[in-house]
Amino acid sequence: MHAWLIWLIIAGVLLIFEMLTLTFYLLWLSIGAAAAAVVAWIVPDAILWQVVVGCVVALGLTVFTRPLVQRVRTSRGFQDSGTDLVGREGLVVEPIRQGHYGIVKIGGDTWSASSQQSLDKFERVRVIERGNAIIEVERWEEI
């Protein structure tokens, strides 16, 4: 198998994991792997150069974009897409067991969810905390 193809597969896998975590760090690694794929396509036998270029690109993106991302996230008026989830009601689509994730539907979106309680399918829940890609829920109890 060609080295450039292996680098593209690595870039694709990292990109998929980035979509699950939403941290931007794996995105930079993915772009670094894509840069290594370009070097591998141009100079197939220079494995050291492929690794060096991939690392330099990923490190450069991490170092130079981190302050920019922090500034945007802390700017006035910035709202994350999941900021308003806490307190909302949802419905369990896949059961949640202690120590295992399930799926909860909130509005039109589905989220991976965890809970301190065991929750069965079709139970109503309330979001109590939101992480990067996983929400913490509890059984909905009307007052």
Side-chain angles (χ1 to χ4, degrees):
M1 186 177 285
H2 297 286
W4 63 268
L5 186 58
I6 294 170
W7 283 113
L8 281 181
I9 291 169
I10 292 169
V13 168
L14 288 168
L15 186 62
I16 289 169
F17 280 121
E18 170 58 39
M19 287 187 236
L20 297 173
T21 62
L22 306 172
T23 60
F24 281 113
Y25 295 118
L26 295 176
L27 177 62
W28 306 150
L29 292 174
S30 175
I31 293 171
V38 171
V39 172
W41 184 61
I42 295 170
V43 189
D45 296 329
I47 293 175
L48 180 63
W49 278 106
Q50 296 167 23
V51 172
V52 168
V53 167
C55 290
V56 167
V57 168
L59 186 62
L61 286 170
T62 301
V63 168
F64 291 116
T65 59
R66 184 170 169 81
L68 177 65
V69 170
Q70 285 295 93
R71 197 170 349 145
V72 168
R73 285 188 173 178
T74 57
S75 67
R76 203 176 95 219
F78 174 78
Q79 281 193 331
D80 194 356
S81 62
T83 303
D84 61 343
L85 282 176
V86 176
R88 288 189 60 190
E89 180 183 346
L91 186 68
V92 177
V93 178
E94 287 186 19
I96 303 170
R97 301 289 172 241
Q98 290 178 342
H100 299 285
Y101 299 120
I103 304 291
V104 172
K105 185 171 186 173
I106 301 170
D109 298 326
T110 56
W111 289 82
S112 293
S114 64
S115 179
Q116 297 297 319
Q117 309 160 322
S118 290
L119 301 168
D120 294 321
K121 194 171 183 178
F122 302 120
E123 278 195 68
R124 288 176 41 191
V125 294
R126 179 180 55 199
V127 179
I128 56 174
E129 188 179 342
R130 178 187 175 253
N132 283 337
I134 299 170
I135 58 175
E136 177 81 20
V137 296
E138 68 182 2
R139 187 172 282 113
W140 180 270
E141 296 178 15
E142 295 187 41
I143 300 172

